[in-house]
């Protein structure tokens, strides 16, 4: 009889696992409020139309030999081996039994308890976030075109602030800078001189996980492309149109994108398992939750005890592939070696057809690195369909420009 493997989440870990798992050995059920896999490294590109939304998603229901349920996991009853769920459409509750359970629910945006962030800031985690940002950019330019507005109000509406100097914040600022220079300047020639971007980072530099020389390269590049980088600044309060910094300065803005890192989801906070200092579930070297036998955790919501692995897509992918081998070995009653993480490097787009690559054996930045960045991400897309769509989107944007219609 097949064992019941229940997977919570549709991120990199779960997608990598089901693509390598022996389906003849398990009845696989995936539970997630999102019915698709999202290739998040290219999400910033969708906010300005460089890539279309559906080009970077893969429907989970198209994956063979799995059962998918669109629902929120609300609790885990480890003694009864059940997951308490809430349907994502009609909010009805139900339970799913498991023999093996994998928790890979990712993380949520970390607001650090700053007042006003949840109410007024935009996040960039899901496609719906990117769609809202894309709409707001055009909305602000159209509002700024109202002839009765004061110059001060126009400048406020066209001030786009990004809080968080990590890869997501930097890449969104880069994409927005390109969009302003290449499309919005043609559509709004009387307004574009008032439009500018501010990137706020609490640490001493942006991209602080990259080599220092690459971080400096990005800062210098932004200075030449209408992106004002402010480091060592902490946001203390956010209102509908102002940001209060720890030094007492107020910044007026038209749109705020908050990208300051990850925090635990409601489910992860509620579970009684051991956690690290960042509230990630602790696992052993086999990605098994400590003090459990049949519950595993991977991706952004988990960390291997004794390590401080980064919460990145490449880690989740490696864990998913490892767990597929692990579960395949369990089905054959064999034991697999412990999980070993291999750092493959980091990439970031910084605008104007330039990117950074911080690889174990090389550090580079520029146009050639941008070509490498594109090819690397293209090869990581899940399906041939996604690869073709993204290639077509890049070609279309280069040939015809990005669309600035409001609908």
């Amino acid at each position: 009889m097949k064992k019941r493997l229940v997977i919570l989440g549709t991120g990199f870990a779960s997608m990598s696992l089901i693509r390598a798992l022996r389906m003849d050995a398990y009845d696989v059920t995936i539970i997630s409020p999102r019915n698709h896999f999202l290739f998040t490294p290219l999400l910033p590109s969708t906010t300005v139309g460089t890539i279309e939304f559906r080009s970077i998603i893969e429907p989970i229901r198209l994956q063979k030999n799995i059962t998918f349920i669109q629902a929120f996991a609300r609790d885990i009853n480890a003694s009864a081996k059940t997951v308490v769920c809430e349907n994502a459409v009609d909010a009805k509750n139900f339970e799913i039994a498991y023999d093996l359970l994998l928790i890979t629910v990712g993380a949520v945006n970390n607001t650090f308890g700053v007042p006003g962030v949840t109410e007024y800031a935009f996040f960039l985690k899901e496609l719906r976030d990117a769609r809202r940002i894309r709409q707001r950019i055009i909305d602000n330019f159209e509002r700024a075109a109202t002839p009765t507005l004061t110059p001060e109000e126009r400048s406020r509406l066209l001030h786009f602030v990004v809080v968080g100097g990590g890869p997501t914040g930097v890449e969104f600022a880069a994409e927005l800078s390109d969009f302003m220079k290449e499309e919005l300047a043609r559509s709004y020639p009387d307004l574009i001189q008032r439009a500018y971007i501010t990137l706020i980072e609490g640490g001493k530099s942006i991209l602080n996980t990259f080599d220092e020389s690459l971080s400096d390269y990005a800062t210098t590049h932004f200075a030449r492309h209408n992106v004002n980088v402010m480091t060592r600044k902490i946001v203390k309060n956010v209102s509908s149109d102002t940001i209060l910094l720890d030094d007492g300065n107020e910044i007026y803005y038209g749109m705020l994108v908050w990208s300051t890192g990850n925090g635990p989801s409601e489910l992860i906070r509620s579970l009684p398992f051991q956690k690290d200092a960042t509230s990630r579930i602790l696992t052993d070297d086999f990605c098994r939750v400590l003090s459990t036998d049949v519950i595993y955790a991977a991706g952004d919501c988990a960390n291997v005890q004794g390590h401080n692995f980064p919460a990145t897509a490449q880690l989740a992918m490696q864990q998913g592939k490892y767990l597929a081998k692990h579960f395949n070995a369990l089905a054959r009653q064999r034991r697999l070696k412990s999980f070993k993480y291999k750092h493959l490097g980091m990439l970031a787009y910084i605008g104007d057809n330039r990117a950074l690559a911080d690889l174990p054996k090389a550090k580079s930045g520029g146009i050639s690195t941008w070509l490498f960045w594109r090819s690397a991400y293209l090869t990581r897309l899940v399906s041939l369909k996604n690869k073709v769509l993204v290639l077509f989107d890049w070609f279309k944007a280069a040939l015809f420009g990005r669309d600035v219609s409001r609908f």
Side-chain angles (χ1 to χ4, degrees):
M1 184 176 178
K2 292 182 180 181
K3 285 191 174 183
R4 297 166 297 183
L5 171 60
V6 174
I7 302 171
L8 307 182
T10 53
F12 280 92
S14 59
M15 180 59 75
S16 299
L17 185 149
I18 62 175
R19 289 170 64 84
L21 186 69
R22 282 185 54 194
M23 292 299 182
D24 61 336
Y26 295 95
D27 280 325
V28 180
T29 299
I30 298 179
I31 300 169
S32 174
R34 187 178 73 189
N35 69 354
H36 56 270
F37 164 76
L38 172 64
F39 191 78
T40 51
L42 289 177
L43 188 59
S45 296
T46 67
T47 62
V48 297
T50 307
I51 294 174
E52 294 302 326
F53 300 120
R54 294 190 181 276
S55 298
I56 60 169
I57 63 173
E58 186 70 18
I60 289 296
R61 289 189 180 277
L62 293 182
Q63 305 303 307
K64 296 180 180 179
N65 301 314
I66 68 163
T67 299
F68 175 76
I69 303 173
Q70 190 166 7
F72 295 92
R74 296 303 189 192
D75 195 14
I76 296 171
N77 188 334
S79 58
K81 292 186 177 179
T82 60
V83 180
V84 180
C85 304
E86 177 187 315
N87 190 282
V89 179
D90 59 16
K92 290 184 178 180
N93 294 325
F94 58 93
E95 293 189 7
I96 295 291
Y98 65 83
D99 296 310
L100 294 171
L101 174 66
L102 171 60
I103 306 169
T104 173
V105 296
V108 297
N109 297 282
N110 194 345
T111 67
F112 296 97
V114 177
V117 172
T118 302
E119 293 82 0
Y120 302 114
F122 289 77
F123 300 110
L124 190 50
K125 278 281 190 183
E126 302 287 344
L127 276 184
R128 61 178 176 270
D129 300 327
R131 186 183 293 111
R132 290 177 62 234
I133 289 172
R134 189 166 169 177
Q135 184 75 39
R136 182 61 174 267
I137 293 168
I138 303 302
D139 284 354
N140 278 20
F141 272 87
E142 292 296 346
R143 290 167 63 194
T146 305
T148 55
L149 286 184
T150 64
E152 292 77 17
E153 181 63 7
R154 272 195 192 91
S155 295
R156 182 191 70 79
L157 284 170
L158 299 180
H159 184 198
F160 299 89
V161 178
V162 183
V163 177
T168 300
V170 164
E171 292 194 336
F172 169 69
E175 292 282 1
L176 181 56
S177 176
D178 287 350
F179 190 42
M180 285 183 177
K181 181 178 65 176
E182 296 168 9
E183 271 73 47
L184 296 178
R186 294 199 301 267
S187 299
Y188 305 92
D190 297 333
L191 296 176
I192 198 64
Q193 295 303 319
R194 293 184 178 274
Y196 63 110
I197 304 165
T198 296
L199 178 59
I200 300 174
E201 165 59 35
K204 66 178 182 178
S205 63
I206 60 173
L207 297 175
N208 55 26
T209 57
F210 281 63
D211 184 83
E212 186 176 352
S213 63
L214 297 179
S215 175
D216 292 342
Y217 179 94
T219 302
T220 302
H221 176 82
F222 275 158
R224 297 196 301 264
H225 290 84
N226 203 31
V227 179
N228 175 34
V229 176
M230 301 174 64
T231 57
R232 302 182 189 273
K233 303 293 183 183
I234 304 296
V235 176
K236 303 299 290 184
N237 189 79
V238 175
S239 71
S240 61
D241 58 2
T242 61
I243 298 168
L244 177 64
L245 300 179
D246 57 343
D247 59 7
N249 286 327
E250 277 192 334
I251 297 176
Y252 288 86
Y253 72 92
M255 185 179 78
L256 167 63
V257 174
W258 190 271
S259 179
T260 58
N262 297 327
S265 66
E266 183 179 345
L267 172 67
I268 298 302
R269 288 198 305 268
S270 68
L271 295 176
F273 305 134
Q274 295 182 55
K275 296 165 189 159
D276 66 7
T278 59
S279 296
R280 292 187 290 177
I281 296 173
L282 284 172
T283 72
D284 61 17
D285 290 336
F286 299 92
C287 297
R288 187 170 47 210
V289 175
L290 297 182
S291 303
T292 69
D293 294 323
V294 295
I295 302 177
Y296 295 76
D300 292 355
C301 68
N303 193 24
V304 179
Q305 188 178 39
H307 301 273
N308 187 26
F309 292 143
T312 60
Q314 65 173 293
L315 172 66
M317 289 176 67
Q318 290 181 35
Q319 288 181 320
K321 291 176 181 178
Y322 165 80
L323 284 169
K325 294 179 181 179
H326 181 80
F327 292 147
N328 290 342
L330 284 180
R332 298 192 299 268
Q333 296 183 338
R334 297 177 182 175
R335 185 175 177 84
L336 195 69
K337 293 181 179 180
S338 59
F339 172 71
K340 301 294 183 184
Y341 170 61
K342 182 180 180 181
H343 182 63
L344 301 177
M346 297 176 290
L347 301 171
Y349 179 62
I350 58 172
D352 196 34
N353 296 342
R354 284 165 174 76
L356 305 178
D358 190 341
L359 308 178
K361 295 184 179 180
K363 320 290 180 187
S364 65
I367 294 177
S368 60
T369 307
W370 168 70
L371 295 173
F372 172 73
W373 171 82
R374 282 198 163 184
S375 62
Y377 280 170
L378 191 66
T379 59
R380 292 293 183 181
L381 287 164
V382 170
S383 65
L384 176 62
K385 179 200 73 173
N386 289 142
K387 292 180 174 69
V388 171
L389 289 175
V390 168
L391 271 175
F392 179 74
D393 289 343
W394 281 337
F395 177 77
K396 182 178 64 175
L399 191 62
F400 302 111
R402 305 167 184 85
D403 183 64
V404 297
S405 301
R406 182 180 184 273
F407 54 87

